[in-house]
Amino acid sequence: GGEEGGVVKATIADFLTAAEDSTIYELTGQITSVDNTTYGNFYIKDNTGEVYIYGTLDANGGTKNFLSLGIEVGDKVIIHGPRKNYNGTIELVDVTVDKLEKSLISVETSEFELEKEAGEFEVKVTSKAGGLSVVPADGWMSIKSINVSGDNYTVVVTYTANDQISERKSTIQLSAGEALSQVSVKQ
């Protein structure tokens, strides 16, 4: 990629195979999952690969304020920050978000905490991408129905009882074309 003011624009594949640590890289990609909403740890992908982002600065350059940016799974971002090899894992750290393009799919509630008993819940989704595909990640959830009104979708999800001692965690993937979103579920 070209260099501007010491910033190297690169594809994710080129970034991952680059040799220089601490060099400032600019990456463009779509957020595939968010690990930590305090520090702003997430994964982005482009058509060459996927990379872990460790730490995101807010609009004022501060840390631990990721939620102020309003970034969610499915959004496209242009970010820059220093490359770091962390025990063999190549990361972009303490990134600045240069551009945020919201996903065409958004969810009203992105986290659900369910009772241990079997039941159902509703996921309210807006999709401006023309359609919606819904895939629960685990067999203990299933899609009962999807009601559509314009760009608004109400997905009714049923779930089985959790008779285990431990908590169950899962996700529901929502997509339409390249647009993505995701809901986290724990029971």
Side-chain angles (χ1 to χ4, degrees), residues 137-150:
D138 285 296
W140 54 273
M141 289 187 289
S142 60
I143 307 304
K144 180 178 174 184
S145 65
I146 301 178
N147 300 309
V148 187
S149 171

PDB file of all heavy atoms in Angstrom, residues 137-150:
ATOM      1  N   ALA A 137     -26.579 -19.967  16.473  1.00  0.00           N
ATOM      2  CA  ALA A 137     -25.326 -20.719  16.446  1.00  0.00           C
ATOM      3  C   ALA A 137     -25.446 -22.078  17.112  1.00  0.00           C
ATOM      4  O   ALA A 137     -24.623 -22.944  16.878  1.00  0.00           O
ATOM      5  CB  ALA A 137     -24.227 -19.899  17.114  1.00  0.00           C
ATOM      6  N   ASP A 138     -26.430 -22.285  17.941  1.00  0.00           N
ATOM      7  CA  ASP A 138     -26.524 -23.538  18.699  1.00  0.00           C
ATOM      8  C   ASP A 138     -27.901 -24.167  18.592  1.00  0.00           C
ATOM      9  O   ASP A 138     -28.911 -23.490  18.414  1.00  0.00           O
ATOM     10  CB  ASP A 138     -26.208 -23.285  20.179  1.00  0.00           C
ATOM     11  CG  ASP A 138     -24.723 -23.078  20.388  1.00  0.00           C
ATOM     12  OD1 ASP A 138     -23.967 -24.027  20.134  1.00  0.00           O
ATOM     13  OD2 ASP A 138     -24.335 -21.968  20.782  1.00  0.00           O
ATOM     14  N   GLY A 139     -27.910 -25.489  18.758  1.00  0.00           N
ATOM     15  CA  GLY A 139     -29.135 -26.271  18.611  1.00  0.00           C
ATOM     16  C   GLY A 139     -30.188 -26.030  19.678  1.00  0.00           C
ATOM     17  O   GLY A 139     -31.339 -26.398  19.488  1.00  0.00           O
ATOM     18  N   TRP A 140     -29.815 -25.389  20.790  1.00  0.00           N
ATOM     19  CA  TRP A 140     -30.813 -25.180  21.842  1.00  0.00           C
ATOM     20  C   TRP A 140     -31.712 -23.980  21.565  1.00  0.00           C
ATOM     21  O   TRP A 140     -32.647 -23.708  22.304  1.00  0.00           O
ATOM     22  CB  TRP A 140     -30.166 -25.085  23.225  1.00  0.00           C
ATOM     23  CG  TRP A 140     -29.070 -24.079  23.409  1.00  0.00           C
ATOM     24  CD1 TRP A 140     -27.748 -24.266  23.166  1.00  0.00           C
ATOM     25  CD2 TRP A 140     -29.192 -22.739  23.906  1.00  0.00           C
ATOM     26  NE1 TRP A 140     -27.048 -23.116  23.467  1.00  0.00           N
ATOM     27  CE2 TRP A 140     -27.899 -22.175  23.926  1.00  0.00           C
ATOM     28  CE3 TRP A 140     -30.272 -21.961  24.335  1.00  0.00           C
ATOM     29  CZ2 TRP A 140     -27.659 -20.869  24.354  1.00  0.00           C
ATOM     30  CZ3 TRP A 140     -30.023 -20.661  24.766  1.00  0.00           C
ATOM     31  CH2 TRP A 140     -28.736 -20.140  24.773  1.00  0.00           C
ATOM     32  N   MET A 141     -31.433 -23.265  20.468  1.00  0.00           N
ATOM     33  CA  MET A 141     -32.308 -22.168  20.031  1.00  0.00           C
ATOM     34  C   MET A 141     -32.825 -22.482  18.638  1.00  0.00           C
ATOM     35  O   MET A 141     -32.123 -23.085  17.829  1.00  0.00           O
ATOM     36  CB  MET A 141     -31.546 -20.843  19.977  1.00  0.00           C
ATOM     37  CG  MET A 141     -31.184 -20.279  21.320  1.00  0.00           C
ATOM     38  SD  MET A 141     -30.477 -18.615  21.176  1.00  0.00           S
ATOM     39  CE  MET A 141     -28.882 -18.963  20.454  1.00  0.00           C
ATOM     40  N   SER A 142     -34.058 -22.053  18.357  1.00  0.00           N
ATOM     41  CA  SER A 142     -34.549 -22.184  16.985  1.00  0.00           C
ATOM     42  C   SER A 142     -35.466 -21.013  16.657  1.00  0.00           C
ATOM     43  O   SER A 142     -36.034 -20.371  17.552  1.00  0.00           O
ATOM     44  CB  SER A 142     -35.273 -23.522  16.788  1.00  0.00           C
ATOM     45  OG  SER A 142     -36.373 -23.612  17.657  1.00  0.00           O
ATOM     46  N   ILE A 143     -35.586 -20.726  15.374  1.00  0.00           N
ATOM     47  CA  ILE A 143     -36.407 -19.616  14.912  1.00  0.00           C
ATOM     48  C   ILE A 143     -37.845 -20.097  14.792  1.00  0.00           C
ATOM     49  O   ILE A 143     -38.129 -21.033  14.044  1.00  0.00           O
ATOM     50  CB  ILE A 143     -35.916 -19.095  13.535  1.00  0.00           C
ATOM     51  CG1 ILE A 143     -34.414 -18.774  13.580  1.00  0.00           C
ATOM     52  CG2 ILE A 143     -36.737 -17.885  13.109  1.00  0.00           C
ATOM     53  CD1 ILE A 143     -33.998 -17.789  14.637  1.00  0.00           C
ATOM     54  N   LYS A 144     -38.743 -19.474  15.524  1.00  0.00           N
ATOM     55  CA  LYS A 144     -40.155 -19.850  15.480  1.00  0.00           C
ATOM     56  C   LYS A 144     -40.854 -19.115  14.341  1.00  0.00           C
ATOM     57  O   LYS A 144     -41.612 -19.699  13.579  1.00  0.00           O
ATOM     58  CB  LYS A 144     -40.814 -19.516  16.820  1.00  0.00           C
ATOM     59  CG  LYS A 144     -42.290 -19.852  16.893  1.00  0.00           C
ATOM     60  CD  LYS A 144     -42.834 -19.523  18.276  1.00  0.00           C
ATOM     61  CE  LYS A 144     -44.331 -19.714  18.342  1.00  0.00           C
ATOM     62  NZ  LYS A 144     -44.849 -19.293  19.654  1.00  0.00           N
ATOM     63  N   SER A 145     -40.564 -17.812  14.235  1.00  0.00           N
ATOM     64  CA  SER A 145     -41.205 -17.033  13.172  1.00  0.00           C
ATOM     65  C   SER A 145     -40.438 -15.743  12.926  1.00  0.00           C
ATOM     66  O   SER A 145     -39.686 -15.285  13.790  1.00  0.00           O
ATOM     67  CB  SER A 145     -42.651 -16.693  13.551  1.00  0.00           C
ATOM     68  OG  SER A 145     -42.673 -15.835  14.686  1.00  0.00           O
ATOM     69  N   ILE A 146     -40.633 -15.176  11.738  1.00  0.00           N
ATOM     70  CA  ILE A 146     -40.089 -13.858  11.413  1.00  0.00           C
ATOM     71  C   ILE A 146     -41.229 -13.049  10.815  1.00  0.00           C
ATOM     72  O   ILE A 146     -41.798 -13.433   9.795  1.00  0.00           O
ATOM     73  CB  ILE A 146     -38.928 -13.943  10.401  1.00  0.00           C
ATOM     74  CG1 ILE A 146     -37.791 -14.805  10.965  1.00  0.00           C
ATOM     75  CG2 ILE A 146     -38.412 -12.542  10.070  1.00  0.00           C
ATOM     76  CD1 ILE A 146     -36.615 -14.988  10.011  1.00  0.00           C
ATOM     77  N   ASN A 147     -41.594 -11.971  11.500  1.00  0.00           N
ATOM     78  CA  ASN A 147     -42.651 -11.087  10.999  1.00  0.00           C
ATOM     79  C   ASN A 147     -42.014  -9.853  10.386  1.00  0.00           C
ATOM     80  O   ASN A 147     -41.125  -9.256  10.979  1.00  0.00           O
ATOM     81  CB  ASN A 147     -43.600 -10.683  12.139  1.00  0.00           C
ATOM     82  CG  ASN A 147     -44.250 -11.906  12.768  1.00  0.00           C
ATOM     83  OD1 ASN A 147     -44.800 -12.735  12.071  1.00  0.00           O
ATOM     84  ND2 ASN A 147     -44.157 -12.016  14.085  1.00  0.00           N
ATOM     85  N   VAL A 148     -42.483  -9.483   9.206  1.00  0.00           N
ATOM     86  CA  VAL A 148     -41.886  -8.380   8.460  1.00  0.00           C
ATOM     87  C   VAL A 148     -42.890  -7.255   8.287  1.00  0.00           C
ATOM     88  O   VAL A 148     -44.045  -7.489   7.930  1.00  0.00           O
ATOM     89  CB  VAL A 148     -41.432  -8.848   7.059  1.00  0.00           C
ATOM     90  CG1 VAL A 148     -40.668  -7.736   6.354  1.00  0.00           C
ATOM     91  CG2 VAL A 148     -40.598 -10.105   7.155  1.00  0.00           C
ATOM     92  N   SER A 149     -42.441  -6.028   8.544  1.00  0.00           N
ATOM     93  CA  SER A 149     -43.236  -4.845   8.257  1.00  0.00           C
ATOM     94  C   SER A 149     -42.287  -3.792   7.695  1.00  0.00           C
ATOM     95  O   SER A 149     -41.559  -3.151   8.444  1.00  0.00           O
ATOM     96  CB  SER A 149     -43.910  -4.343   9.540  1.00  0.00           C
ATOM     97  OG  SER A 149     -44.512  -3.097   9.303  1.00  0.00           O
ATOM     98  N   GLY A 150     -42.235  -3.677   6.383  1.00  0.00           N
ATOM     99  CA  GLY A 150     -41.287  -2.756   5.753  1.00  0.00           C
ATOM    100  C   GLY A 150     -39.869  -3.222   5.995  1.00  0.00           C
ATOM    101  O   GLY A 150     -39.523  -4.357   5.672  1.00  0.00           O
TER     102      GLY A 150
END
